[in-house]
Amino acid sequence: MSNTVVGDLPVAGAPSQRMPIPLMVSVMLATIMQAVDSTIANVALPHMQGAMSATQDQIAWVLTSYVVASAVFMPLTGFLSSRLGQKRLFLISTVGFTVVSMLCGAAQSLEQILVFRLLQGAFGAFLVPLSQTVLLDSTPPAKHPTAMAFWGVGVMVGPILGPTMGGYLTEYFSWRWVFYINLPIGLLAWAGITAFMPEKNSPRRRFDVLGFALLSISLATLQLMLDRGESQGWFDSTEIIFEALVAGLCLYMFIVHMMTGRSPYLDPSLFRDRNYCGGLTVGFVAGVILMATMALLPPYLQHLGGYPVLDVGLLLAPRGLGTMAAMVLVGKLGTRVDPRHEILLGLALIAYSLYEMSLFVTHVPERLVLVTGVIQGFGLGLVMVPLSATSFSTLTPAQREDGTSLYSLVRNLGGSIGISLTTAALLRNGQANHAQFSEHITPFNPAFQQALTESAALHMNPEQGLVLVNQMVNEQAMTLAYLQDFRLMMWMTLLAMPIVFLLQNPHRKRGRRLA
């Protein structure tokens, strides 16, 4: 890393004015590997369930174990980086993630794959915050939008392409290949990081055992509550109530400890930064939209739209192209445009796409899925890249490791909460819609008479005709429930827009400092 000159004195370790392309590519590969794995296994779950002779609840722990481990270990990034060194931690995480991925693919029992997925989540927890920190540290402030665009390709496109890749690999090869695919990516990332990443030594920090324990328990119980809430009936279950109480109590104790302790687990000065707090809030909403939409669309298109699994993957893939196009555009614009304007435009496009999705019909045409997906992907790209650059623009280099790990954690929590919230709303609204629609099923309803006539033409008895009518009612009820979820997310996006006005323009602030 080159030296830059301030006045007459050289400052060692300052970022070069040139973009470190080889390092950026290596870091992006590690980011993509972790981001893809957050969704790639979803499609393969039914095949894994059969291979492991597991129940639906048991195989769901393949996803839950990964998410819980990732949430618990992600805040450790700053501490471990100060103890091991940034480069060494990055290499250990990359190698560990790759090796454990191979073990997941070779697992012969449910117990084995759960342990390996737990380890995979632990190693992968450090990759995204470390990659963001490395790119911010190795590029000058004027190049941060471009660096964040590069980083965003992996973080945003990975979860979108995960189901497509998972469906293809499972269909034509085996579910084990959703894990084996990490080997070439991990090797390339390891070689690039070894060759091009300089070492950065941070001041050693004391490990806050109490803070880590409180935050870990809070995050673990929150994730368990979110993942198991639907199957347990949410707050009708003693387990869910207990997990909610533990998560809330430990979070409260962690906040009190962080604000009053000598060397807290997270730097409390992060929460005094207006740009960073605003970025956390908008990033949380973006996480909700990204992950909840990806959780809702596949079953909607499959079960109601009648699309095959591979076609669903192909219909969702252009969403990633929209995101990539937006990131390229933001990287080209750099500091010439106020990032707040880009964020507002992105949120507006997301809200518009969700409004259009709330007007879908049961058998939605392919063109509408593609168009709304590209618009929403483009909007997410416009939001996440300038939001990342703006959020970290006012943090000191010493705050970045804690800042990036917490930023990634909040975005992931947004995804988990979004999936749980929309799934619960989907089932509740589906039942309410079915009950409401059923009130209109009377012998005098023309649609009901037509359905009975059609069933008679197919030589069905009256009981079979009523079953057919009930299926039609249920289909319409669930269609409306999906559309209500899309409308809910639209309102969440609109409510997040005023927060953007609280952010400061980092380019103007930097210009004053240089002047």
Side-chain angles (χ1 to χ4, degrees):
M1 191 173 290
S2 64
N3 296 342
T4 53
V5 177
V6 178
D8 298 324
L9 299 174
V11 180
S16 168
Q17 296 302 307
R18 292 178 7 182
M19 297 293 291
I21 299 300
L23 174 60
M24 292 174 69
V25 171
S26 306
V27 165
M28 187 185 73
L29 287 173
T31 306
I32 287 176
M33 181 172 64
Q34 192 276 345
V36 166
D37 263 56
S38 65
T39 58
I40 195 172
N42 298 31
V43 181
L45 277 187
H47 298 266
M48 297 166 65
Q49 182 180 350
M52 301 296 175
S53 300
T55 65
Q56 182 122 16
D57 283 347
Q58 288 173 335
I59 205 64
W61 281 96
V62 171
L63 303 179
T64 304
S65 58
Y66 180 88
V67 173
V68 169
S70 181
V72 169
F73 283 91
M74 194 174 287
L76 271 174
T77 306
F79 168 76
L80 290 178
S81 181
S82 71
R83 289 299 180 101
L84 301 175
Q86 196 178 74
K87 181 175 181 177
R88 184 178 298 174
L89 179 59
F90 212 146
L91 288 172
I92 291 172
S93 302
T94 304
V95 172
F97 190 88
T98 306
V99 170
V100 175
S101 296
M102 298 301 100
L103 295 175
C104 286
Q108 300 299 314
S109 67
L110 181 65
E111 292 76 14
Q112 288 180 7
I113 198 168
L114 289 181
V115 170
F116 296 145
R117 279 289 279 179
L118 199 70
L119 292 173
Q120 193 184 33
F123 283 115
F126 310 119
L127 292 177
V128 171
L130 275 177
S131 64
Q132 194 172 21
T133 303
V134 169
L135 290 180
L136 289 170
D137 287 346
S138 59
T139 54
K143 297 291 185 181
H144 280 178
T146 305
M148 288 299 94
F150 223 78
W151 172 80
V153 168
V155 172
M156 300 296 293
V157 177
I160 294 172
L161 295 182
T164 305
M165 293 176 59
Y168 180 84
L169 292 170
T170 303
E171 182 74 19
Y172 291 104
F173 296 94
S174 163
W175 65 265
R176 299 182 185 277
W177 280 93
V178 302
F179 300 110
Y180 291 153
I181 193 67
N182 288 332
L183 180 60
I185 302 174
L187 289 176
L188 287 173
W190 169 79
I193 293 167
T194 301
F196 302 113
M197 181 176 170
E199 184 57 89
K200 174 192 173 185
N201 294 315
S202 305
R204 290 174 68 86
R205 294 166 50 177
R206 188 180 68 84
F207 184 54
D208 181 9
V209 178
L210 179 59
F212 172 70
L214 290 173
L215 185 60
S216 298
I217 295 171
S218 177
L219 292 174
T221 51
L222 175 62
Q223 286 290 351
L224 286 173
M225 183 189 78
L226 294 173
D227 288 337
R228 291 179 53 78
E230 189 56 50
S231 63
Q232 301 301 311
W234 288 106
F235 292 101
D236 292 332
S237 164
T238 304
E239 175 194 337
I240 301 302
I241 294 174
F242 175 76
E243 288 165 354
L245 290 174
V246 172
L249 179 61
C250 288
L251 179 62
Y252 170 76
M253 294 171 65
F254 171 77
I255 293 173
V256 172
H257 174 71
M258 179 180 66
M259 293 301 180
T260 58
R262 289 185 181 179
S263 301
Y265 187 57
L266 288 177
D267 185 356
S269 66
L270 289 170
F271 302 99
R272 293 194 287 269
D273 189 289
R274 192 168 77 183
N275 273 19
Y276 184 71
C277 290
L280 286 180
T281 307
V282 179
F284 176 87
V285 174
V288 170
I289 304 303
L290 174 65
M291 300 306 294
T293 305
M294 294 306 298
L296 290 173
L297 273 178
Y300 174 72
L301 296 175
Q302 247 180 289
H303 301 148
L304 296 175
Y307 289 99
V309 177
L310 288 180
D311 288 358
V312 170
L314 293 174
L315 286 173
L316 296 180
R319 181 181 302 265
L321 297 178
T323 302
M324 292 179 67
M327 290 176 174
V328 171
L329 176 63
V330 170
K332 293 289 185 183
L333 292 174
T335 59
R336 287 173 288 179
V337 177
D338 188 336
R340 296 172 299 180
H341 297 162
E342 295 170 331
I343 297 170
L344 282 172
L345 176 59
L347 290 172
L349 289 174
I350 293 170
Y352 172 74
S353 69
L354 289 167
Y355 171 75
E356 289 294 322
M357 291 167 66
S358 71
L359 302 178
F360 278 177
V361 293
T362 302
H363 305 286
V364 58
E366 295 179 3
R367 183 184 62 84
L368 284 178
V369 179
L370 291 172
V371 171
T372 54
V374 170
I375 293 174
Q376 189 175 114
F378 193 85
L380 284 166
L382 284 181
V383 169
M384 292 305 294
V385 174
L387 183 67
S388 297
T390 303
S391 300
F392 299 107
S393 63
T394 47
L395 296 184
T396 64
Q399 293 174 310
R400 280 180 186 158
E401 286 172 343
D402 277 348
T404 53
S405 62
L406 182 60
Y407 185 84
S408 297
L409 175 63
V410 168
R411 191 185 64 251
N412 291 345
L413 281 177
S416 297
I417 292 172
I419 291 172
S420 298
L421 175 67
T422 53
T423 302
L426 179 71
L427 295 179
R428 185 184 67 249
N429 289 335
Q431 293 170 353
N433 295 338
H434 189 281
Q436 188 173 5
F437 290 168
S438 298
E439 295 175 1
H440 300 281
I441 303 300
T442 67
F444 307 103
N445 188 313
F448 178 68
Q449 294 173 356
Q450 182 182 353
L452 289 182
T453 303
E454 291 176 356
S455 64
L458 295 172
H459 305 291
M460 293 182 178
N461 58 43
E463 289 77 11
Q464 290 174 317
L466 290 174
V467 170
L468 178 63
V469 170
N470 184 65
Q471 289 175 346
M472 294 169 60
V473 171
N474 190 59
E475 184 179 75
Q476 295 303 312
M478 290 307 298
T479 298
L480 181 57
Y482 276 105
L483 306 189
Q484 288 167 330
D485 266 0
F486 296 144
R487 186 66 63 95
L488 172 65
M489 290 190 287
M490 180 198 76
W491 286 114
M492 289 182 63
T493 306
L494 292 174
L495 290 173
M497 293 180 75
I499 300 171
V500 179
F501 295 100
L502 301 177
L503 304 177
Q504 296 174 313
N505 183 354
H507 305 331
R508 186 182 304 165
K509 190 175 181 67
R510 185 159 51 244
R512 288 202 195 104
R513 284 203 302 264
L514 293 174

